[in-house]
Structures are given as C-alpha cells and as structure tokens.
C-alpha cells in the first residue's frame, strides 16, 4: 500500500484533467485499492481542488466515480452468479481478507436491509471495495444498489475532501493537523464498523 507522503506525486497530474480526472481517480480506487481511499481524498482536496467553489463539484465527481467503480464490481458479481462467486472467494478471498464464512454472512445479509447495508458498506474501509460483488451475486435491484452506493460514497468522500481542502487553507501546524485527522478517521471507522455489524446481525 502506498504511503500518504507519496500521494501528492500520484495525483498532481489530475489537475489538468479536471472533474473527469477526479471521477476516474475515484473509480480506479474502487477497482484497484492500492491507496487508502481516505488518504487519496484528503490529498485530492489539498492539491487538486482549486478553490472553495469547486469543492462541491469535486465531491460530486468523486462520488460518481466511486459509484461507477462499485457498479463494475456489481456487474462482475451478476456475471459470476452464486456458485462461481463462492468458488472465486475460496480461491482468491485471502487477497482481500475475505473468508468464505464472512462472504456468506455478507451475501445473506443482502436478503434484507439491502439499502442500508449498501449505504453503510461505503463508509467502512476495505469493506467499501468488495461489498458490491456480493450485491451483484444476490442480484439486489440495480437502482436500489446504485442509489444506496451513491449516498454512502457521498457521506464518505465529502468529509475527507473538505478536510484536505481545509488543511491547505488553515494555519494549523501540519503535524497537529495530521494527528487530529488520523484520530478522527479511526473514530469514524469504529463507529460505522459497529453500525455495519449491528445491521448485518439483524438481517
């Protein structure tokens, strides 16, 4: 996984691509999660968003990109189907820290609470990458999944883009700002991970 200090060099070229570049960056992050999504979003907010007026457009572009990436995984899940999908998880799930038992629990949870499972999945690191696959496997309605994914991606992307932009504009000491951001990220992750587990158990 790429460290945060290396990210500015990776995203600096996106400035010339505008909103399309932001959209593609968010979509690729869903398909090839080699960079922590929150780190990528913070750096995009710091180095690619030119001014405050452009921030809402950046949020919209990255949210659309995140949704697009999830829809691709959803389509892959639909194409594989239940039997081939489980065989794939057995053979390659270790690379995503996804055990077969966990995959079965996630797929089973989609038979209920489809909307909220999809929303909360978008605000939990790593889970937000692979949750679209079982959603496609169990064939939850496409529009319901797309809407829930968009809402969840919006809730995840907007704060980190705004944080990156705010850090650039603030006069706070960089080390203090970074420490505060890390603590905030950890707290958010724990809260939503617990909420995700609660909803999944009720399914």
């Amino acid at each position: 996984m790429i460290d945060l200090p290396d990210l500015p060099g990776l995203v600096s070229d996106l400035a010339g691509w505008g909103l399309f570049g932001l959209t593609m960056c968010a979509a690729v992050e869903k398909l090839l999660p080699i960079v922590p999504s929150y780190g990528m979003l913070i750096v995009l907010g710091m180095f690619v968003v030119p001014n405050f007026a452009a921030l809402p457009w950046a949020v919209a572009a990255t949210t659309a990109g995140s949704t697009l990436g999830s829809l691709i995984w959803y389509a892959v899940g639909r194409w594989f189907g239940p039997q081939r999908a489980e065989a794939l998880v057995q053979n390659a799930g270790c690379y995503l820290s996804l055990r077969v038992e966990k995959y079965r629990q996630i797929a089973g949870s989609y038979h209920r609470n489809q909307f909220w499972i999809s929303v909360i999945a978008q605000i939990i690191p790593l889970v937000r990458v692979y949750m679209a696959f079982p959603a496609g496997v169990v064939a939850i309605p496409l529009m319901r999944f797309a809407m829930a994914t968009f809402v969840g991606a919006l809730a995840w992307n907007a704060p980190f883009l705004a944080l990156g932009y705010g850090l650039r504009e603030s006069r706070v000491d960089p080390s203090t700002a970074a420490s505060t951001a890390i603590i905030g990220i950890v707290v958010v992750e724990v809260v939503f991970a617990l909420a995700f587990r609660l909803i999944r158990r009720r399914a």
Side-chain angles (χ1 to χ4, degrees):
M1 187 169 287
I2 298 173
D3 294 330
L4 289 179
D6 299 327
L7 290 178
L10 297 176
V11 302
S12 60
D13 292 338
L14 288 175
W17 291 87
L19 295 178
F20 177 76
L22 292 175
T23 302
M24 290 299 100
C25 187
V28 170
E29 181 272 324
K30 277 295 185 71
L31 300 174
L32 301 171
I34 59 175
V35 174
S37 59
Y38 51 81
M40 179 197 72
L41 292 166
I42 290 173
V43 172
L44 289 176
M46 292 181 68
F47 296 98
V48 179
V49 179
N51 50 56
F52 184 77
L55 185 58
W57 293 102
V59 171
T62 56
T63 301
S66 296
T67 304
L68 174 61
S70 290
L71 288 175
I72 293 173
W73 277 119
Y74 175 92
V76 172
R78 288 293 298 266
W79 182 76
F80 267 89
Q83 294 182 344
R84 289 194 297 172
E86 185 160 321
L88 177 66
V89 173
Q90 287 179 333
N91 294 326
C94 59
Y95 298 107
L96 284 176
S97 301
L98 181 61
R99 302 187 308 274
V100 175
E101 295 78 10
K102 186 176 181 181
Y103 165 77
R104 288 172 180 168
Q105 290 178 351
I106 292 172
S109 69
Y110 264 127
H111 292 294
R112 300 178 184 177
N113 294 321
Q114 295 174 346
F115 185 86
W116 288 111
I117 286 287
S118 299
V119 169
I120 295 178
Q122 293 304 307
I123 44 186
I124 301 176
L126 187 60
V127 172
R128 66 192 306 274
V129 175
Y130 62 68
M131 278 297 290
F133 181 75
V137 171
V138 301
I140 72 172
L142 176 60
M143 289 304 299
R144 184 181 302 170
F145 173 76
M147 290 176 60
T149 299
F150 187 89
V151 170
L154 177 63
W156 178 260
N157 292 5
F160 291 118
L161 281 170
L163 175 61
Y165 180 79
L167 289 176
R168 187 184 72 196
E169 297 297 314
S170 70
R171 297 181 180 179
V172 179
D173 177 71
S175 60
T176 301
S179 300
T180 303
I182 291 172
I183 293 172
I185 290 168
V186 171
V187 171
V188 169
E189 289 179 4
V190 170
V191 169
F192 283 112
L194 292 174
F196 178 79
R197 281 183 134 189
L198 179 62
I199 289 179
R200 196 178 68 185
R201 286 178 178 176
R202 290 181 177 179

